[in-house]
Amino acid sequence: IIGGMSAQLGCCDRVRSATSPSSWREAARLRTATGRAGTIAATDAIVAAYASTLHAPVILTSDPTDLTPLADHAVQPIAVFAT
């Protein structure tokens, strides 16, 4: 369990270092554009904003209900698949 937790925290550090104030603003824009800013997690919005900076982004998620509307408002198409 400790190794798993360490790996998860390492992943969080990589995402944090890959984001910037402009991606935070994009995440806020995406949440607002869905009309559900109060019910969609900021973390989901950061994932969608980060994905929108990649070439041919794909998001695999157990919660497509929140990520799909975010992806629908991204500046480029993002494929969202339920796992």
Side-chain angles (χ1 to χ4, degrees), residues 12-30:
C12 291
D13 287 340
R14 285 189 297 275
V15 170
R16 186 176 331 126
S17 66
T19 62
S20 64
S22 63
S23 64
W24 306 335
R25 285 188 292 276
E26 176 62 4
R29 186 195 70 75
L30 291 172

Side-chain angles (χ1 to χ4, degrees), residues 4-66:
M5 179 63 78
S6 177
Q8 290 175 352
L9 292 175
C11 180
C12 291
D13 287 340
R14 285 189 297 275
V15 170
R16 186 176 331 126
S17 66
T19 62
S20 64
S22 63
S23 64
W24 306 335
R25 285 188 292 276
E26 176 62 4
R29 186 195 70 75
L30 291 172
R31 283 180 77 196
T32 301
T34 66
R36 297 178 39 216
T39 62
I40 293 180
T43 305
D44 289 340
I46 287 288
V47 168
Y50 176 70
S52 72
T53 67
L54 304 174
H55 174 72
V58 175
I59 297 174
L60 303 176
T61 180
S62 61
D63 186 15
T65 305
D66 285 348

